[in-house]
Amino acid sequence: MMALSYERSAALFCMLVWLLLASLSTGLLLSLGSGWLGVITLWVLGLCPAALLLQHIKVRLIQPFYHLTTTIEAMRLEDYGQRFYTTDKSGILAQLQTETSQLCDHLQAYKSARDHQAILLFRLIEQLPSPIVVFDESNTLVHANDAFSNWTGKPWQTQKRLKAAHFSLIKTNGQWQFSHLSLAQQWQIRQSQIPIDDSHAHLLILTDVQSVVSQAQRDAWQKMIRILSHEIHNSLSPIKSLAQTLQMLQAGADTQADFEQALAVIVQRSDGLMSFVNRYASVARQHQLHTETVSIDALLSPIQVLYDTRVRCSIEQTFALHVDVSLLEQVLVNLITNALEASDETGMVDIIVSNTAQYAFIDILDEGQGLTNQDNLFVPFYTTKPNGKGIGLVLCKNIVEQHNGQLTLVNRTDKTGARARVQLPLELA
């Protein structure tokens, strides 16, 4: 049997009360000998007002729920001007009015703050130089910036409500990508979700990969030109000064020694400049690799012997590497030497070898003061050593990368010092 609704239950209750009252009062009058005139008078003067009173009670019971439903519907539509209202000054309805008003005020403040954040976000998007677009949950364009308009060749406002596929953007397994290979090769997509209108919109930032690469190349050229200019200037300045001095000297027996000394200095500085250019060329030189398979133990054992007791070696598991042993030994010797020089006379250097299914890791840890300028570690000829050349780490990085590996230097997290990590593709023994 279907249960009665609240409204039907209230109406049925009021009807039963009225019928009970009518039957009892009518029966009482008839039992007292009153005629039909008395019964009609009872119905007109008593039972009809009672019916109106019960109807009013029923409306009084049901009407607050209709008002509450209207208020909740308005809140769902983010219209907080519609409020639940009652004339009661106390009781449960007055308390319900207070609670709903406070809830509306809270939601209105939250909506205002959210809308303000969305406005700030959209303003920020409009100021950024990269193409940025926002799609809603149905992948429809809702907002973009001028850079995106330039990217598409049309104002984004005229393309509003177009699907993402119109811009060759598709979403696969939660990741956005281009459907055209040429766009995928030139542009990188960064994605995020932002709340807009009670839903999660998709914010996409398009980064021109070629411009990033070009900027990196320009930075590298600027660094190289700065270093070359510095070294060449340091070498040519004394050569120019000596040449000017020789022009002013008169040839003769008494000036022969000065001539020879000046020419010797010019030759020395010229040799130094030539050596610098040769060293700089060696930094980017592609080495001829003569690879062979060698176990990690056979690779590290002769190196550890070179440094006596100041170097400790720990190998978690034996494995084999396919490398140029001579070049890789040179890399490890340079890194260990740097670690020893960074530590004090009693400091130890630890070599910790580990591996995963694809890679081998050779960590060289020192107990020195750590790295102070990590941005310039692999800049050619940058050095913090008094007699350093500034090419050791660059050569090491070049050799490791030619083995399809990676060289990184970071500060230790367990104690003071630095950690150099050589990562190489692993050939399991």
Side-chain angles (χ1 to χ4, degrees):
M1 182 177 179
M2 185 178 295
L4 294 176
S5 64
Y6 177 80
E7 299 97 315
R8 289 183 175 274
S9 298
L12 182 60
F13 175 77
C14 292
M15 182 181 296
L16 291 176
V17 170
W18 186 84
L19 290 175
L20 180 61
L21 180 62
S23 60
L24 288 176
S25 59
T26 302
L28 180 62
L29 286 178
L30 292 176
S31 64
L32 293 176
S34 177
W36 288 106
L37 181 61
V39 173
I40 294 173
T41 303
L42 172 66
W43 277 64
V44 172
L45 298 179
L47 293 180
C48 287
L52 294 176
L53 178 61
L54 290 172
Q55 176 65 20
H56 176 73
I57 293 174
K58 186 196 76 170
V59 172
R60 176 73 170 163
L61 290 174
I62 296 175
Q63 193 173 30
F65 291 98
Y66 284 109
H67 290 169
L68 182 61
T69 301
T70 304
T71 301
I72 294 175
E73 177 67 13
M75 292 167 58
R76 186 180 67 82
L77 298 175
E78 296 188 345
D79 178 12
Y80 303 111
Q82 179 73 33
R83 302 293 180 93
F84 176 78
Y85 177 75
T86 180
T87 57
D88 292 356
K89 302 302 180 182
S90 62
I92 188 62
L93 291 181
Q95 184 178 353
L96 183 60
Q97 176 183 338
T98 302
E99 293 295 334
T100 54
S101 296
Q102 291 178 353
L103 179 60
C104 286
D105 292 338
H106 175 75
L107 292 176
Q108 188 171 23
Y110 173 77
K111 180 178 182 297
S112 298
R114 188 191 62 194
D115 292 343
H116 181 66
Q117 291 177 353
I119 292 173
L120 291 179
L121 176 62
F122 287 154
R123 287 180 179 176
L124 177 61
I125 288 174
E126 292 168 358
Q127 300 299 321
L128 295 177
S130 297
I132 301 176
V133 61
V134 179
F135 296 108
D136 61 16
E137 289 185 328
S138 62
N139 298 339
T140 302
L141 190 151
V142 294
H143 196 81
N145 61 355
D146 291 339
F148 184 80
S149 299
N150 296 333
W151 184 73
T152 59
K154 298 179 181 179
W156 70 267
Q157 292 86 348
T158 63
Q159 306 178 81
K160 203 171 182 180
R161 313 314 301 176
L162 291 178
K163 295 293 184 179
H166 178 79
F167 307 101
S168 301
L169 289 165
I170 58 175
K171 188 177 182 182
T172 306
N173 298 326
Q175 297 295 322
W176 286 90
Q177 58 187 8
F178 285 106
S179 57
H180 292 300
L181 181 61
S182 59
L183 291 174
Q185 291 175 342
Q186 182 179 358
W187 296 91
Q188 181 185 45
I189 302 176
R190 296 181 181 179
Q191 64 183 59
S192 180
Q193 285 191 340
I194 57 175
I196 295 180
D197 296 334
D198 290 335
S199 63
H200 288 86
H202 306 283
L203 185 146
L204 306 183
I205 303 176
L206 309 183
T207 303
D208 189 349
V209 177
Q210 293 182 355
S211 65
V212 174
V213 172
S214 298
Q215 182 61 42
Q217 291 175 341
R218 285 194 295 269
D219 292 342
W221 275 107
Q222 289 174 358
K223 287 182 179 180
M224 184 181 71
I225 292 172
R226 185 173 67 251
I227 295 169
L228 287 173
S229 299
H230 175 73
E231 292 294 331
I232 293 174
H233 180 269
N234 288 345
S235 296
L236 292 181
S237 293
I239 292 176
K240 178 182 178 181
S241 177
L242 288 172
Q244 291 174 340
T245 301
L246 291 176
Q247 286 179 337
M248 294 183 294
L249 290 176
Q250 299 293 329
D254 55 341
T255 59
Q256 183 64 31
D258 294 332
F259 269 102
E260 293 178 355
Q261 183 179 8
L263 291 174
V265 173
I266 291 175
V267 172
Q268 181 183 6
R269 294 306 305 159
S270 299
D271 290 340
L273 183 59
M274 183 63 68
S275 175
F276 166 79
V277 173
N278 291 335
R279 291 202 313 273
Y280 205 97
S282 69
V283 169
R285 186 183 66 195
Q286 292 293 318
H287 297 275
Q288 185 67 35
L289 299 182
H290 302 284
T291 58
E292 59 182 293
T293 300
V294 60
S295 68
I296 189 64
D297 304 87
L299 177 66
L300 294 179
S301 294
I303 296 177
Q304 189 177 6
V305 173
L306 294 175
Y307 299 99
D308 198 15
T309 59
R310 290 192 62 189
V311 176
R312 296 176 298 203
C313 187
S314 173
I315 302 176
E316 295 181 359
Q317 178 182 350
T318 299
F319 53 84
L321 294 170
H322 194 69
V323 295
D324 187 312
V325 176
S326 176
L327 290 178
L328 191 56
E329 283 181 347
Q330 180 181 348
V331 169
L332 296 176
V333 167
N334 286 344
L335 295 176
I336 295 172
T337 302
N338 288 344
L340 290 171
E341 292 176 351
S343 307
D344 55 31
E345 295 181 357
T346 60
M348 298 293 296
V349 171
D350 291 305
I351 303 176
I352 300 177
V353 181
S354 59
N355 66 282
T356 62
Q358 292 89 16
Y359 297 101
F361 303 97
I362 304 175
D363 292 332
I364 301 171
L365 299 92
D366 63 51
E367 298 178 352
Q369 298 301 314
L371 305 172
T372 57
N373 194 344
Q374 301 184 43
D375 294 335
N376 292 325
L377 286 176
F378 298 106
V379 174
F381 306 105
Y382 171 84
T383 180
T384 57
K385 301 177 183 178
N387 298 320
K389 302 297 184 182
I391 61 173
L393 287 178
V394 184
L395 288 174
C396 291
K397 180 179 176 64
N398 186 25
I399 293 172
V400 172
E401 289 179 349
Q402 288 185 45
H403 283 83
N404 296 320
Q406 184 178 1
L407 173 62
T408 56
L409 280 88
V410 296
N411 285 318
R412 297 178 62 171
T413 56
D414 56 335
K415 60 193 303 185
T416 304
R419 183 194 72 185
R421 164 167 286 190
V422 177
Q423 174 182 322
L424 295 168
L426 179 62
E427 179 176 313
L428 295 176

